[in-house]
Amino acid sequence: MKWSISTKLFLVLVAISIVAVAAMGLSARISFTRGFIGYLNDQSTAYVESVIPRLAEAYQAEGGWDFLHRNNRAWFRLLDTRGRRDGPPQFSEVDFTATQLRLTLLDADEDVVIGNREFSRDTPRRPIEVDGKTVGWLVLVPFQQATAAADVRFQKRQLTQNWLIGLGTVLLAALAAWWLSRLLVTPLTRIAKATHNLASGDYSVRIPVASKDEIGGLSEDFNRLAQALAHNEQLRRSFMADVSHELRTPLSVLKGELEAIEDGVRTMTPATLASLQSEVATLSKLVSDLYDLSLSDIGALSYRMADVDIGDVLHSTLGVFQQRLAERGLKVETRIDSPAVVNGDEGRLQQLFTNLLENCARYTQSDGTVRVACRNTNDDVLIEIEDSGPGVAADILPRIFQRFVRAEASRNRSHGGAGLGLAICANIVQAHGGTITASAAPLGGLLISIRLPRLRTLKGVI
């Protein structure tokens, strides 16, 4: 039989309540019984204290205990103190008789004169003194249980009331357990149902947050998870669409060129081969970027960390791009501090700067300016690469490091980019423990700012 968590919680709480009430009832019964018997014995003791003076007076008047031998009438008459103002607390007739029947009179030698003979040597006794001499002993056999009818009725009534109170307590506990189980389990049921829908692919499901406790926190975490999964699903679909589009364009061109050559519309000339080579290079670059991006996303891109001077890497990369930038008529301005040492992979850092300078060479308008700066700050090495435009729309800047994101108005696909270079750059910087941001450049174009943790030498700050 499969029970729900609500039923299990209800049964556990009710069982705990029953055990607690039963334990309390049993302890109350034992405590009350002992206390009540003690109360009866205390009353009897007070009665004994009032009887002792009467027995002493009778002994003195009669000159001994002989008058009480086998004389129950005289014995009970001496014990009857109910009419005296200095007597014990008022007993009922039955209680009074029960107390008398537990009394025993002993002479000075502790031989029984009259009364209850069922007592032991350890039974408490009170001396009866006349003129400073002990002439006898009064023994009171203590109560072991309530015997008088009124006492028994009182005891039973109290115990019955205790068990009725316990039963009422269990019923109230059951109601509280039912309410508490529903209060705690209802949100969990909603979460379970929402999780089932989420696993089925419904990423739009959300859970209302109705409390600030752990369940409310779990609901908030679930909503964030659902939002992240919905975002990732959207990225996945966009990625597949973008990859398909990027591959379709050069493949369509290649197919058209080859069909034209096959039909004799175009001849195999160096210009035709150059066009085919250009499309193949575009495909090769796209596949290579996708491969690098996939490796960097899963952390499988290899890095060989060592002490690297960023200034040297920038100078080396600028040397490779010198002719390319000159052909575009771009002016290069540099402000590079050296040494600016970080712990990094020189090859990956060169790939990072190559992608950024490639964007500058590809998108910056002719006769523009490219500015490269590197300087040491308190704890970082700050690298800034900016160009003179055209710029990037403000709504694109926060998403510029996402894959396949471009500023379509100016930095578009016609320049040959697939929108993967900056995504790869972001992963390389992250692998080096740094940060990369994009903003509008003072020159009018795009400013890329990179901060990498710098190393310090034993002699001071590098």
Side-chain angles (χ1 to χ4, degrees), residues 310-332:
I310 294 295
D312 292 343
V313 178
L314 283 173
H315 283 300
S316 174
T317 308
L318 284 170
V320 173
F321 275 85
Q322 183 177 4
Q323 182 176 356
R324 173 85 180 277
L325 296 173
E327 290 176 353
R328 294 288 315 279
L330 301 178
K331 178 183 177 182
V332 180

Side-chain angles (χ1 to χ4, degrees), residues 173-252:
L175 291 176
W178 175 81
W179 176 79
L180 184 61
S181 62
R182 288 187 59 83
L183 180 66
L184 294 178
V185 173
T186 298
L188 296 179
T189 303
R190 287 200 298 265
I191 294 175
K193 182 178 180 181
T195 303
H196 179 76
N197 293 337
L198 187 66
S200 301
D202 182 9
Y203 301 120
S204 63
V205 62
R206 296 293 184 272
I207 300 175
V209 180
S211 62
K212 297 295 184 181
D213 55 10
E214 288 80 359
I215 294 180
L218 179 61
S219 299
E220 291 179 351
D221 292 339
F222 177 89
N223 292 337
R224 283 193 289 268
L225 173 63
Q227 184 176 0
L229 290 175
H231 178 68
N232 290 338
E233 178 63 16
Q234 181 61 36
L235 289 180
R236 185 188 68 82
R237 293 179 180 179
S238 299
F239 177 77
M240 296 301 296
D242 290 336
V243 168
S244 300
H245 183 70
E246 294 295 337
L247 290 173
R248 185 184 298 113
T249 301
L251 287 175
S252 297

Side-chain angles (χ1 to χ4, degrees), residues 39-74:
Y39 165 74
L40 295 179
N41 285 324
D42 289 342
Q43 276 196 326
S44 299
T45 301
Y47 169 74
V48 168
E49 294 295 334
S50 68
V51 169
I52 287 177
R54 299 192 67 187
L55 292 175
E57 293 175 1
Y59 178 88
Q60 191 174 19
E62 298 293 338
W65 299 117
D66 293 338
F67 75 100
L68 288 178
H69 283 290
R70 301 183 184 278
N71 190 352
N72 289 328
R73 183 184 299 274

Side-chain angles (χ1 to χ4, degrees), residues 267-289:
T267 59
M268 184 63 67
T269 64
T272 302
L273 289 176
S275 177
L276 295 175
Q277 285 283 6
S278 175
E279 297 303 326
V280 171
T282 299
L283 280 174
S284 177
K285 179 65 167 57
L286 176 60
V287 172
S288 177
D289 285 348

Side-chain angles (χ1 to χ4, degrees), residues 8 12 17 86 109 161 189 200 243 268 320 333 379 414 447:
K8 293 179 181 178
V12 167
S17 300
D86 58 346
D109 297 329
Q161 290 177 355
T189 303
S200 301
V243 168
M268 184 63 67
V320 173
E333 298 178 358
D379 298 312
S414 63
L447 169 62

